[in-house]
Amino acid sequence: MKAVIIQHEEFIDAFTRPKWTGKKDVRNLHECRNHNGEIQMKYLAVLLSSMMLVACGGGGGSVSSDASSSSAAASSGVSPASVYLSQYEGVWRQDCVAHMRLTRTNTATGSDTFSVTTKQEYFDNADCTGALVATGGFGQPDETVRFTATLTDATVQLTPSETIVAAVDPATSVLAVAPFTFTGSGVVSTSSALGTTFARIEYANGDFVVAQGLALTGQTTKGALMIRNGELLALVPIGTSTTSFQVNRRYIR
């Protein structure tokens, strides 16, 4: 029997980590024990999709090819959502890692706002195929995101070695107040302590995972979004800057 322990702070948007410095966070590690009892450390999808981002195309100093609609809206003085907010709507996902895939659903709720609902889905097979055995989430939208005017010449650090100038859409995020819960046929036990929910999730082959999720506490944070080469990039400010950002998470359709 192989045990997998998943530990991470929040499962939602980049805006939850405004003070991220780009350093690896040991609390976001995922411990795998193989059948010989050896420990293998791998980063979760949420970490691979942010700190360890591999940029797609382009080079330093280039402008995002997917930001033209944002730039046009900003220069015309038109409300962001009326022109291009729809590009952020819908279901986005991260890569599968060890049975689990994280998804986010963006739903427009006003002319310049949308709600974000995220969930973890655990599948019988390690490549996220087979039966869906467990789902983790908050049972409601995680946050409300409100956009401000498009910033057409932001500096965006994609990786430590690649920085571009691109149009981004700054936003303020207000998180919900809600506990994290796990449901599904594979959830055999749950417990909670200090705002953290723990769940043992078992798979058909006898392997299991001990997953944990922190409750949302209603804080307000700032960040930005942009589309680059078909990916949704969730950004956090670099330090206290309002014009320089780094990638915290990325998603695909």
Side-chain angles (χ1 to χ4, degrees):
M1 179 177 292
K2 178 174 62 178
V4 179
I5 301 174
I6 291 182
Q7 298 176 308
H8 50 97
E9 299 171 276
E10 302 269 358
F11 305 109
I12 63 174
D13 188 73
F15 306 132
T16 63
R17 302 193 66 188
K19 297 182 180 179
W20 180 65
T21 63
K23 297 180 180 178
K24 296 178 181 178
D25 186 341
V26 296
R27 290 172 296 179
N28 284 336
L29 291 177
H30 151 192
E31 178 182 294
C32 299
R33 292 185 183 270
N34 62 24
H35 291 284
N36 294 322
E38 298 170 339
I39 296 178
Q40 303 169 319
M41 303 305 291
K42 297 181 180 179
Y43 285 97
L44 283 169
V46 292
L47 197 61
L48 285 168
S49 300
S50 55
M51 304 178 194
M52 307 301 289
L53 171 67
V54 177
C56 299
S62 64
V63 177
S64 169
S65 60
D66 294 308
S68 57
S69 58
S70 298
S71 300
S75 61
S76 66
V78 179
S79 172
S82 62
V83 175
Y84 64 88
L85 184 59
S86 61
Q87 70 179 330
Y88 298 127
E89 288 190 89
V91 179
W92 297 83
R93 63 181 176 84
Q94 293 186 330
D95 292 334
C96 172
V97 171
H99 298 266
M100 192 273 282
R101 174 176 285 130
L102 179 71
T103 66
R104 65 175 275 162
T105 301
N106 300 332
T107 304
T109 56
S111 62
D112 59 356
T113 61
F114 60 66
S115 64
V116 178
T117 302
T118 60
K119 64 179 177 180
Q120 299 174 43
E121 293 180 310
Y122 294 83
F123 296 85
D124 246 338
N125 300 327
D127 62 353
C128 292
T129 60
L132 176 64
V133 298
T135 300
F138 298 100
Q140 65 180 70
D142 309 2
E143 58 181 322
T144 298
V145 178
R146 181 177 297 277
F147 287 95
T148 57
T150 297
L151 182 61
T152 60
D153 57 352
T155 299
V156 180
Q157 182 180 339
L158 298 175
T159 69
S161 61
E162 183 177 11
T163 299
I164 64 172
V165 176
V168 305
D169 298 310
T172 298
S173 171
V174 180
L175 302 185
V177 177
F180 196 90
T181 60
F182 294 92
T183 59
S185 60
V187 179
V188 297
S189 64
T190 61
S191 62
S192 61
L194 300 176
T196 301
T197 300
F198 302 87
R200 176 179 169 123
I201 301 169
E202 294 187 353
Y203 306 113
N205 66 356
D207 291 347
F208 69 94
V209 60
V210 177
Q212 60 176 294
L214 294 181
L216 297 179
T217 56
Q219 68 263 40
T220 298
T221 55
K222 295 183 181 295
L225 295 179
M226 66 177 288
I227 302 289
R228 175 177 165 81
N229 297 330
E231 289 184 312
L232 171 61
L233 302 184
L235 312 173
V236 290
I238 297 177
T240 59
S241 176
T242 58
T243 60
S244 297
F245 300 86
Q246 58 194 359
V247 175
N248 188 46
R249 304 185 193 279
R250 64 174 181 170
Y251 302 84
I252 59 175
R253 290 292 190 183

